[in-house]
Amino acid sequence: MLLSIISVQGGAAIAKGLFPVLGAAGTTSIRIGLSALVLLVVVRPRFSRLEPAQWRAVIPYGLALGAMNFLFYCALARVPLGLAVTLEFIGPLVLALAGSRRWIDVVWVVLAGAGIALITPWTGEGINSLGMGFALAAGACWAVYIVLGQRTAAVLPGPLAVTVGMLFAALPVLPFGVASGSLLHLTPHLLLLGGGLALFSSVLPFSLEMQALKTMPTRTFSVLMSLEPVAAALSGWFLLGEQLTVAQWLAVSFIVLASAGATLTSAQPQPALLGE
């Protein structure tokens, strides 16, 4: 699980390196396109065997996956990696707390709210507001993706669902990638970096997380996932030279504590699904 987290954040660092040439749309298109090709070769799905109910589940699941990745990369192009992941985590956190009537969950809401307040550039300076908006929108798509992922997992095996879903994930992204014209700038070197991005951001973490879920409880898995904002902040600092202020580190800590606390005290284990 820890290797999966490191892999995802390393992939995000590669993506940031591609943004100056390919932009968020082009980078997302390359990542999803190459990931879909790899999964098609490995899983080799038989589309003719899918039933209408399975198509109805997997198509919106894939569209949500594509929108989530595109919006996250739009955020990543504008704000530090640690803050982008932290804000995106608010989506699953809100989903976990939705409808709760227990007093302990008020604590997690307050912690998350304090984290958001610390990140928000109240003076109009500092962190890019549009980037923050993209990160929050990506978090909303992540929450939708979790709900749709649960429905898809009920009718399709995990590897097959992700493979077919990844194909449909390209639909909301490719038009932007083509319209931007950035894909015309592809070189063998950029394709190689795109292959590394697909490997580290999608193929490798998915495989590692599937292996982790075989040997640990879902609740433990979900708590470890809550460490991703910290891992992202450290990755941004170590790989990209991105510095966070003390207030921003506090914001990351508050949202991580809220996420881990909500998971530990939830009546039922939270679903563990691959994020950005």
Side-chain angles (χ1 to χ4, degrees):
M1 182 57 203
L2 293 176
L3 285 173
S4 173
I5 291 174
I6 293 170
S7 178
V8 168
Q9 303 314 325
I14 294 175
K16 273 223 162 183
L18 291 172
F19 288 159
V21 179
L22 298 180
T27 302
T28 312
S29 299
I30 291 298
R31 171 189 167 177
I32 291 179
L34 293 179
S35 298
L37 287 176
V38 171
L39 289 169
L40 281 173
V41 171
V42 173
V43 179
R44 290 182 291 182
R46 297 184 179 182
F47 298 106
S48 60
R49 294 189 176 183
L50 294 182
E51 299 176 356
Q54 293 173 320
W55 284 114
R56 286 195 297 269
V58 77
I59 290 175
Y61 161 77
L63 294 175
L65 174 62
M68 175 182 70
N69 281 279
F70 182 34
L71 289 167
F72 176 72
Y73 277 6
C74 288
L76 198 57
R78 294 168 172 82
V79 300
L81 174 58
L83 297 188
V85 174
T86 300
L87 288 168
E88 188 190 28
F89 248 73
I90 293 170
L93 177 59
V94 170
L95 179 64
L97 297 174
S100 174
R101 298 179 181 276
R102 299 178 306 155
W103 68 268
I104 188 63
D105 288 330
V106 175
V107 176
W108 313 133
V109 171
V110 170
L111 271 176
I116 296 171
L118 286 170
I119 291 178
T120 302
W122 300 105
T123 61
E125 301 176 355
I127 299 300
N128 185 288
S129 298
L130 181 59
M132 290 181 59
F134 278 131
L136 291 171
C141 286
W142 192 358
V144 173
Y145 161 82
I146 289 173
V147 174
L148 296 176
Q150 288 178 292
R151 296 176 183 174
T152 304
V155 296
L156 276 176
L160 181 58
V162 172
T163 301
V164 180
M166 194 67 73
L167 292 174
F168 286 97
L171 293 181
V173 177
L174 278 176
F176 291 95
V178 172
S180 70
S182 59
L183 296 179
L184 298 175
H185 301 143
L186 279 176
T187 63
H189 176 65
L190 289 175
L191 275 175
L192 183 62
L193 287 176
L197 174 61
L199 176 66
F200 286 110
S201 293
S202 298
V203 179
L204 186 57
F206 174 73
S207 303
L208 290 169
E209 289 184 7
M210 289 297 102
Q211 186 63 34
L213 282 169
K214 293 179 181 178
T215 56
M216 70 168 60
T218 303
R219 190 186 300 273
T220 305
F221 182 99
S222 298
V223 170
L224 286 175
M225 273 195 73
S226 301
L227 296 175
E228 283 212 25
V230 174
L234 292 174
S235 178
W237 167 69
F238 184 72
L239 298 176
L240 301 171
E242 295 176 341
Q243 302 288 338
L244 299 186
T245 65
V246 174
Q248 290 165 354
W249 270 110
L250 277 175
V252 171
S253 302
F254 286 168
I255 292 175
V256 166
L257 285 173
S259 179
T263 301
L264 284 170
T265 60
S266 64
Q268 297 178 348
Q270 295 302 313
L273 292 171
L274 186 63
E276 75 291 340

PDB file of all heavy atoms in Angstrom, residues 61-93:
ATOM      1  N   TYR A  61     -19.257   5.076 -14.752  1.00  0.00           N
ATOM      2  CA  TYR A  61     -18.072   4.895 -13.896  1.00  0.00           C
ATOM      3  C   TYR A  61     -16.816   5.382 -14.626  1.00  0.00           C
ATOM      4  O   TYR A  61     -15.993   6.120 -14.071  1.00  0.00           O
ATOM      5  CB  TYR A  61     -17.953   3.419 -13.519  1.00  0.00           C
ATOM      6  CG  TYR A  61     -16.594   2.979 -13.029  1.00  0.00           C
ATOM      7  CD1 TYR A  61     -16.170   3.268 -11.737  1.00  0.00           C
ATOM      8  CD2 TYR A  61     -15.737   2.247 -13.856  1.00  0.00           C
ATOM      9  CE1 TYR A  61     -14.922   2.851 -11.287  1.00  0.00           C
ATOM     10  CE2 TYR A  61     -14.499   1.824 -13.416  1.00  0.00           C
ATOM     11  CZ  TYR A  61     -14.094   2.134 -12.139  1.00  0.00           C
ATOM     12  OH  TYR A  61     -12.862   1.726 -11.699  1.00  0.00           O
ATOM     13  N   GLY A  62     -16.671   4.989 -15.895  1.00  0.00           N
ATOM     14  CA  GLY A  62     -15.524   5.419 -16.676  1.00  0.00           C
ATOM     15  C   GLY A  62     -15.518   6.916 -16.935  1.00  0.00           C
ATOM     16  O   GLY A  62     -14.468   7.570 -16.853  1.00  0.00           O
ATOM     17  N   LEU A  63     -16.673   7.494 -17.229  1.00  0.00           N
ATOM     18  CA  LEU A  63     -16.757   8.937 -17.463  1.00  0.00           C
ATOM     19  C   LEU A  63     -16.355   9.719 -16.210  1.00  0.00           C
ATOM     20  O   LEU A  63     -15.657  10.736 -16.300  1.00  0.00           O
ATOM     21  CB  LEU A  63     -18.181   9.310 -17.892  1.00  0.00           C
ATOM     22  CG  LEU A  63     -18.645   8.755 -19.247  1.00  0.00           C
ATOM     23  CD1 LEU A  63     -20.112   9.106 -19.487  1.00  0.00           C
ATOM     24  CD2 LEU A  63     -17.777   9.293 -20.384  1.00  0.00           C
ATOM     25  N   ALA A  64     -16.799   9.239 -15.038  1.00  0.00           N
ATOM     26  CA  ALA A  64     -16.422   9.892 -13.776  1.00  0.00           C
ATOM     27  C   ALA A  64     -14.918   9.781 -13.545  1.00  0.00           C
ATOM     28  O   ALA A  64     -14.276  10.730 -13.076  1.00  0.00           O
ATOM     29  CB  ALA A  64     -17.188   9.266 -12.612  1.00  0.00           C
ATOM     30  N   LEU A  65     -14.339   8.631 -13.886  1.00  0.00           N
ATOM     31  CA  LEU A  65     -12.902   8.431 -13.737  1.00  0.00           C
ATOM     32  C   LEU A  65     -12.124   9.415 -14.616  1.00  0.00           C
ATOM     33  O   LEU A  65     -11.147  10.029 -14.171  1.00  0.00           O
ATOM     34  CB  LEU A  65     -12.549   6.984 -14.113  1.00  0.00           C
ATOM     35  CG  LEU A  65     -11.068   6.610 -14.159  1.00  0.00           C
ATOM     36  CD1 LEU A  65     -10.430   6.782 -12.790  1.00  0.00           C
ATOM     37  CD2 LEU A  65     -10.898   5.173 -14.650  1.00  0.00           C
ATOM     38  N   GLY A  66     -12.567   9.571 -15.864  1.00  0.00           N
ATOM     39  CA  GLY A  66     -11.890  10.500 -16.762  1.00  0.00           C
ATOM     40  C   GLY A  66     -11.996  11.941 -16.299  1.00  0.00           C
ATOM     41  O   GLY A  66     -11.001  12.681 -16.306  1.00  0.00           O
ATOM     42  N   ALA A  67     -13.189  12.358 -15.895  1.00  0.00           N
ATOM     43  CA  ALA A  67     -13.387  13.730 -15.422  1.00  0.00           C
ATOM     44  C   ALA A  67     -12.548  14.008 -14.182  1.00  0.00           C
ATOM     45  O   ALA A  67     -11.947  15.083 -14.045  1.00  0.00           O
ATOM     46  CB  ALA A  67     -14.867  13.968 -15.134  1.00  0.00           C
ATOM     47  N   MET A  68     -12.495  13.028 -13.258  1.00  0.00           N
ATOM     48  CA  MET A  68     -11.715  13.187 -12.032  1.00  0.00           C
ATOM     49  C   MET A  68     -10.241  13.428 -12.352  1.00  0.00           C
ATOM     50  O   MET A  68      -9.607  14.342 -11.813  1.00  0.00           O
ATOM     51  CB  MET A  68     -11.878  11.943 -11.153  1.00  0.00           C
ATOM     52  CG  MET A  68     -11.017  11.931  -9.906  1.00  0.00           C
ATOM     53  SD  MET A  68     -11.227  10.406  -8.957  1.00  0.00           S
ATOM     54  CE  MET A  68     -10.436   9.221 -10.054  1.00  0.00           C
ATOM     55  N   ASN A  69      -9.674  12.608 -13.244  1.00  0.00           N
ATOM     56  CA  ASN A  69      -8.258  12.740 -13.595  1.00  0.00           C
ATOM     57  C   ASN A  69      -7.972  14.052 -14.314  1.00  0.00           C
ATOM     58  O   ASN A  69      -6.965  14.722 -14.043  1.00  0.00           O
ATOM     59  CB  ASN A  69      -7.829  11.553 -14.462  1.00  0.00           C
ATOM     60  CG  ASN A  69      -7.559  10.309 -13.651  1.00  0.00           C
ATOM     61  OD1 ASN A  69      -6.491  10.141 -13.072  1.00  0.00           O
ATOM     62  ND2 ASN A  69      -8.536   9.420 -13.594  1.00  0.00           N
ATOM     63  N   PHE A  70      -8.857  14.441 -15.231  1.00  0.00           N
ATOM     64  CA  PHE A  70      -8.645  15.681 -15.981  1.00  0.00           C
ATOM     65  C   PHE A  70      -8.681  16.890 -15.045  1.00  0.00           C
ATOM     66  O   PHE A  70      -7.805  17.768 -15.095  1.00  0.00           O
ATOM     67  CB  PHE A  70      -9.698  15.796 -17.069  1.00  0.00           C
ATOM     68  CG  PHE A  70      -9.563  17.016 -17.939  1.00  0.00           C
ATOM     69  CD1 PHE A  70      -8.318  17.533 -18.247  1.00  0.00           C
ATOM     70  CD2 PHE A  70     -10.683  17.648 -18.461  1.00  0.00           C
ATOM     71  CE1 PHE A  70      -8.183  18.651 -19.062  1.00  0.00           C
ATOM     72  CE2 PHE A  70     -10.566  18.767 -19.269  1.00  0.00           C
ATOM     73  CZ  PHE A  70      -9.316  19.267 -19.565  1.00  0.00           C
ATOM     74  N   LEU A  71      -9.686  16.953 -14.186  1.00  0.00           N
ATOM     75  CA  LEU A  71      -9.804  18.082 -13.266  1.00  0.00           C
ATOM     76  C   LEU A  71      -8.632  18.128 -12.284  1.00  0.00           C
ATOM     77  O   LEU A  71      -8.135  19.206 -11.938  1.00  0.00           O
ATOM     78  CB  LEU A  71     -11.131  17.995 -12.503  1.00  0.00           C
ATOM     79  CG  LEU A  71     -12.383  18.276 -13.350  1.00  0.00           C
ATOM     80  CD1 LEU A  71     -13.642  17.861 -12.599  1.00  0.00           C
ATOM     81  CD2 LEU A  71     -12.455  19.756 -13.725  1.00  0.00           C
ATOM     82  N   PHE A  72      -8.175  16.947 -11.852  1.00  0.00           N
ATOM     83  CA  PHE A  72      -7.034  16.914 -10.930  1.00  0.00           C
ATOM     84  C   PHE A  72      -5.781  17.466 -11.604  1.00  0.00           C
ATOM     85  O   PHE A  72      -5.024  18.233 -11.003  1.00  0.00           O
ATOM     86  CB  PHE A  72      -6.786  15.484 -10.444  1.00  0.00           C
ATOM     87  CG  PHE A  72      -5.575  15.356  -9.571  1.00  0.00           C
ATOM     88  CD1 PHE A  72      -5.581  15.860  -8.277  1.00  0.00           C
ATOM     89  CD2 PHE A  72      -4.419  14.750 -10.042  1.00  0.00           C
ATOM     90  CE1 PHE A  72      -4.457  15.761  -7.465  1.00  0.00           C
ATOM     91  CE2 PHE A  72      -3.296  14.645  -9.244  1.00  0.00           C
ATOM     92  CZ  PHE A  72      -3.308  15.144  -7.944  1.00  0.00           C
ATOM     93  N   TYR A  73      -5.558  17.103 -12.860  1.00  0.00           N
ATOM     94  CA  TYR A  73      -4.383  17.614 -13.560  1.00  0.00           C
ATOM     95  C   TYR A  73      -4.515  19.109 -13.841  1.00  0.00           C
ATOM     96  O   TYR A  73      -3.508  19.827 -13.843  1.00  0.00           O
ATOM     97  CB  TYR A  73      -4.164  16.840 -14.857  1.00  0.00           C
ATOM     98  CG  TYR A  73      -3.416  15.533 -14.654  1.00  0.00           C
ATOM     99  CD1 TYR A  73      -3.097  15.081 -13.378  1.00  0.00           C
ATOM    100  CD2 TYR A  73      -3.025  14.749 -15.727  1.00  0.00           C
ATOM    101  CE1 TYR A  73      -2.431  13.896 -13.173  1.00  0.00           C
ATOM    102  CE2 TYR A  73      -2.338  13.556 -15.540  1.00  0.00           C
ATOM    103  CZ  TYR A  73      -2.046  13.132 -14.269  1.00  0.00           C
ATOM    104  OH  TYR A  73      -1.375  11.960 -14.076  1.00  0.00           O
ATOM    105  N   CYS A  74      -5.736  19.587 -14.093  1.00  0.00           N
ATOM    106  CA  CYS A  74      -5.951  21.031 -14.228  1.00  0.00           C
ATOM    107  C   CYS A  74      -5.577  21.750 -12.936  1.00  0.00           C
ATOM    108  O   CYS A  74      -5.013  22.856 -12.962  1.00  0.00           O
ATOM    109  CB  CYS A  74      -7.409  21.316 -14.587  1.00  0.00           C
ATOM    110  SG  CYS A  74      -7.879  20.880 -16.278  1.00  0.00           S
ATOM    111  N   ALA A  75      -5.890  21.132 -11.800  1.00  0.00           N
ATOM    112  CA  ALA A  75      -5.505  21.698 -10.503  1.00  0.00           C
ATOM    113  C   ALA A  75      -4.002  21.627 -10.315  1.00  0.00           C
ATOM    114  O   ALA A  75      -3.361  22.593  -9.878  1.00  0.00           O
ATOM    115  CB  ALA A  75      -6.223  20.957  -9.375  1.00  0.00           C
ATOM    116  N   LEU A  76      -3.421  20.484 -10.667  1.00  0.00           N
ATOM    117  CA  LEU A  76      -1.993  20.254 -10.455  1.00  0.00           C
ATOM    118  C   LEU A  76      -1.136  21.216 -11.263  1.00  0.00           C
ATOM    119  O   LEU A  76      -0.008  21.537 -10.887  1.00  0.00           O
ATOM    120  CB  LEU A  76      -1.659  18.800 -10.832  1.00  0.00           C
ATOM    121  CG  LEU A  76      -0.352  18.209 -10.310  1.00  0.00           C
ATOM    122  CD1 LEU A  76      -0.305  18.293  -8.795  1.00  0.00           C
ATOM    123  CD2 LEU A  76      -0.215  16.760 -10.765  1.00  0.00           C
ATOM    124  N   ALA A  77      -1.671  21.691 -12.388  1.00  0.00           N
ATOM    125  CA  ALA A  77      -0.939  22.663 -13.205  1.00  0.00           C
ATOM    126  C   ALA A  77      -0.893  24.038 -12.542  1.00  0.00           C
ATOM    127  O   ALA A  77      -0.123  24.903 -12.982  1.00  0.00           O
ATOM    128  CB  ALA A  77      -1.590  22.767 -14.585  1.00  0.00           C
ATOM    129  N   ARG A  78      -1.699  24.245 -11.490  1.00  0.00           N
ATOM    130  CA  ARG A  78      -1.831  25.581 -10.912  1.00  0.00           C
ATOM    131  C   ARG A  78      -1.469  25.672  -9.438  1.00  0.00           C
ATOM    132  O   ARG A  78      -1.171  26.767  -8.948  1.00  0.00           O
ATOM    133  CB  ARG A  78      -3.284  26.071 -11.098  1.00  0.00           C
ATOM    134  CG  ARG A  78      -3.658  26.294 -12.558  1.00  0.00           C
ATOM    135  CD  ARG A  78      -5.150  26.475 -12.730  1.00  0.00           C
ATOM    136  NE  ARG A  78      -5.501  26.873 -14.104  1.00  0.00           N
ATOM    137  CZ  ARG A  78      -5.629  26.007 -15.103  1.00  0.00           C
ATOM    138  NH1 ARG A  78      -5.490  24.708 -14.873  1.00  0.00           N
ATOM    139  NH2 ARG A  78      -5.909  26.427 -16.325  1.00  0.00           N
ATOM    140  N   VAL A  79      -1.523  24.567  -8.696  1.00  0.00           N
ATOM    141  CA  VAL A  79      -1.227  24.598  -7.260  1.00  0.00           C
ATOM    142  C   VAL A  79      -0.239  23.493  -6.928  1.00  0.00           C
ATOM    143  O   VAL A  79      -0.095  22.523  -7.683  1.00  0.00           O
ATOM    144  CB  VAL A  79      -2.506  24.432  -6.405  1.00  0.00           C
ATOM    145  CG1 VAL A  79      -3.494  25.543  -6.679  1.00  0.00           C
ATOM    146  CG2 VAL A  79      -3.154  23.074  -6.644  1.00  0.00           C
ATOM    147  N   PRO A  80       0.455  23.592  -5.791  1.00  0.00           N
ATOM    148  CA  PRO A  80       1.394  22.548  -5.385  1.00  0.00           C
ATOM    149  C   PRO A  80       0.718  21.178  -5.250  1.00  0.00           C
ATOM    150  O   PRO A  80      -0.463  21.085  -4.910  1.00  0.00           O
ATOM    151  CB  PRO A  80       1.912  23.044  -4.031  1.00  0.00           C
ATOM    152  CG  PRO A  80       1.747  24.523  -4.089  1.00  0.00           C
ATOM    153  CD  PRO A  80       0.499  24.755  -4.878  1.00  0.00           C
ATOM    154  N   LEU A  81       1.488  20.130  -5.492  1.00  0.00           N
ATOM    155  CA  LEU A  81       0.979  18.762  -5.460  1.00  0.00           C
ATOM    156  C   LEU A  81       0.297  18.433  -4.134  1.00  0.00           C
ATOM    157  O   LEU A  81      -0.795  17.858  -4.105  1.00  0.00           O
ATOM    158  CB  LEU A  81       2.144  17.799  -5.727  1.00  0.00           C
ATOM    159  CG  LEU A  81       1.872  16.297  -5.608  1.00  0.00           C
ATOM    160  CD1 LEU A  81       0.768  15.868  -6.542  1.00  0.00           C
ATOM    161  CD2 LEU A  81       3.167  15.518  -5.895  1.00  0.00           C
ATOM    162  N   GLY A  82       0.937  18.793  -3.022  1.00  0.00           N
ATOM    163  CA  GLY A  82       0.376  18.465  -1.706  1.00  0.00           C
ATOM    164  C   GLY A  82      -0.986  19.084  -1.475  1.00  0.00           C
ATOM    165  O   GLY A  82      -1.886  18.441  -0.925  1.00  0.00           O
ATOM    166  N   LEU A  83      -1.169  20.330  -1.905  1.00  0.00           N
ATOM    167  CA  LEU A  83      -2.447  21.006  -1.708  1.00  0.00           C
ATOM    168  C   LEU A  83      -3.510  20.478  -2.661  1.00  0.00           C
ATOM    169  O   LEU A  83      -4.686  20.378  -2.298  1.00  0.00           O
ATOM    170  CB  LEU A  83      -2.284  22.510  -1.877  1.00  0.00           C
ATOM    171  CG  LEU A  83      -1.362  23.197  -0.853  1.00  0.00           C
ATOM    172  CD1 LEU A  83      -1.431  24.702  -1.010  1.00  0.00           C
ATOM    173  CD2 LEU A  83      -1.720  22.800   0.565  1.00  0.00           C
ATOM    174  N   ALA A  84      -3.105  20.126  -3.886  1.00  0.00           N
ATOM    175  CA  ALA A  84      -4.070  19.565  -4.840  1.00  0.00           C
ATOM    176  C   ALA A  84      -4.657  18.262  -4.310  1.00  0.00           C
ATOM    177  O   ALA A  84      -5.878  18.054  -4.337  1.00  0.00           O
ATOM    178  CB  ALA A  84      -3.396  19.335  -6.196  1.00  0.00           C
ATOM    179  N   VAL A  85      -3.805  17.388  -3.811  1.00  0.00           N
ATOM    180  CA  VAL A  85      -4.275  16.103  -3.272  1.00  0.00           C
ATOM    181  C   VAL A  85      -5.093  16.317  -2.010  1.00  0.00           C
ATOM    182  O   VAL A  85      -6.117  15.656  -1.794  1.00  0.00           O
ATOM    183  CB  VAL A  85      -3.080  15.166  -3.003  1.00  0.00           C
ATOM    184  CG1 VAL A  85      -3.537  13.889  -2.302  1.00  0.00           C
ATOM    185  CG2 VAL A  85      -2.382  14.809  -4.311  1.00  0.00           C
ATOM    186  N   THR A  86      -4.665  17.252  -1.161  1.00  0.00           N
ATOM    187  CA  THR A  86      -5.401  17.523   0.075  1.00  0.00           C
ATOM    188  C   THR A  86      -6.818  17.997  -0.213  1.00  0.00           C
ATOM    189  O   THR A  86      -7.790  17.504   0.374  1.00  0.00           O
ATOM    190  CB  THR A  86      -4.652  18.584   0.910  1.00  0.00           C
ATOM    191  OG1 THR A  86      -3.352  18.091   1.239  1.00  0.00           O
ATOM    192  CG2 THR A  86      -5.418  18.899   2.194  1.00  0.00           C
ATOM    193  N   LEU A  87      -6.962  18.952  -1.126  1.00  0.00           N
ATOM    194  CA  LEU A  87      -8.288  19.467  -1.468  1.00  0.00           C
ATOM    195  C   LEU A  87      -9.130  18.395  -2.149  1.00  0.00           C
ATOM    196  O   LEU A  87     -10.337  18.303  -1.920  1.00  0.00           O
ATOM    197  CB  LEU A  87      -8.150  20.692  -2.377  1.00  0.00           C
ATOM    198  CG  LEU A  87      -7.632  21.957  -1.688  1.00  0.00           C
ATOM    199  CD1 LEU A  87      -7.258  23.014  -2.714  1.00  0.00           C
ATOM    200  CD2 LEU A  87      -8.662  22.506  -0.716  1.00  0.00           C
ATOM    201  N   GLU A  88      -8.511  17.569  -2.983  1.00  0.00           N
ATOM    202  CA  GLU A  88      -9.258  16.501  -3.656  1.00  0.00           C
ATOM    203  C   GLU A  88      -9.817  15.509  -2.639  1.00  0.00           C
ATOM    204  O   GLU A  88     -10.899  14.948  -2.830  1.00  0.00           O
ATOM    205  CB  GLU A  88      -8.352  15.786  -4.658  1.00  0.00           C
ATOM    206  CG  GLU A  88      -9.098  14.786  -5.525  1.00  0.00           C
ATOM    207  CD  GLU A  88      -8.190  13.900  -6.353  1.00  0.00           C
ATOM    208  OE1 GLU A  88      -7.046  13.662  -5.909  1.00  0.00           O
ATOM    209  OE2 GLU A  88      -8.623  13.432  -7.410  1.00  0.00           O
ATOM    210  N   PHE A  89      -9.088  15.284  -1.557  1.00  0.00           N
ATOM    211  CA  PHE A  89      -9.519  14.326  -0.539  1.00  0.00           C
ATOM    212  C   PHE A  89     -10.807  14.753   0.157  1.00  0.00           C
ATOM    213  O   PHE A  89     -11.467  13.935   0.803  1.00  0.00           O
ATOM    214  CB  PHE A  89      -8.405  14.144   0.508  1.00  0.00           C
ATOM    215  CG  PHE A  89      -7.784  12.787   0.471  1.00  0.00           C
ATOM    216  CD1 PHE A  89      -6.940  12.440  -0.567  1.00  0.00           C
ATOM    217  CD2 PHE A  89      -8.044  11.844   1.449  1.00  0.00           C
ATOM    218  CE1 PHE A  89      -6.361  11.197  -0.631  1.00  0.00           C
ATOM    219  CE2 PHE A  89      -7.464  10.590   1.399  1.00  0.00           C
ATOM    220  CZ  PHE A  89      -6.627  10.266   0.358  1.00  0.00           C
ATOM    221  N   ILE A  90     -11.164  16.033   0.047  1.00  0.00           N
ATOM    222  CA  ILE A  90     -12.369  16.509   0.711  1.00  0.00           C
ATOM    223  C   ILE A  90     -13.612  15.828   0.142  1.00  0.00           C
ATOM    224  O   ILE A  90     -14.589  15.582   0.858  1.00  0.00           O
ATOM    225  CB  ILE A  90     -12.460  18.044   0.596  1.00  0.00           C
ATOM    226  CG1 ILE A  90     -11.327  18.676   1.418  1.00  0.00           C
ATOM    227  CG2 ILE A  90     -13.816  18.557   1.083  1.00  0.00           C
ATOM    228  CD1 ILE A  90     -11.165  20.155   1.207  1.00  0.00           C
ATOM    229  N   GLY A  91     -13.595  15.487  -1.158  1.00  0.00           N
ATOM    230  CA  GLY A  91     -14.744  14.822  -1.784  1.00  0.00           C
ATOM    231  C   GLY A  91     -15.096  13.505  -1.114  1.00  0.00           C
ATOM    232  O   GLY A  91     -16.225  13.317  -0.625  1.00  0.00           O
ATOM    233  N   PRO A  92     -14.148  12.542  -1.046  1.00  0.00           N
ATOM    234  CA  PRO A  92     -14.431  11.285  -0.342  1.00  0.00           C
ATOM    235  C   PRO A  92     -14.753  11.476   1.131  1.00  0.00           C
ATOM    236  O   PRO A  92     -15.560  10.739   1.692  1.00  0.00           O
ATOM    237  CB  PRO A  92     -13.129  10.491  -0.512  1.00  0.00           C
ATOM    238  CG  PRO A  92     -12.500  11.049  -1.725  1.00  0.00           C
ATOM    239  CD  PRO A  92     -12.855  12.505  -1.742  1.00  0.00           C
ATOM    240  N   LEU A  93     -14.137  12.500   1.762  1.00  0.00           N
ATOM    241  CA  LEU A  93     -14.412  12.755   3.170  1.00  0.00           C
ATOM    242  C   LEU A  93     -15.858  13.191   3.380  1.00  0.00           C
ATOM    243  O   LEU A  93     -16.543  12.704   4.292  1.00  0.00           O
ATOM    244  CB  LEU A  93     -13.446  13.817   3.700  1.00  0.00           C
ATOM    245  CG  LEU A  93     -13.637  14.261   5.157  1.00  0.00           C
ATOM    246  CD1 LEU A  93     -13.512  13.072   6.103  1.00  0.00           C
ATOM    247  CD2 LEU A  93     -12.615  15.331   5.515  1.00  0.00           C
TER     248      LEU A  93
END
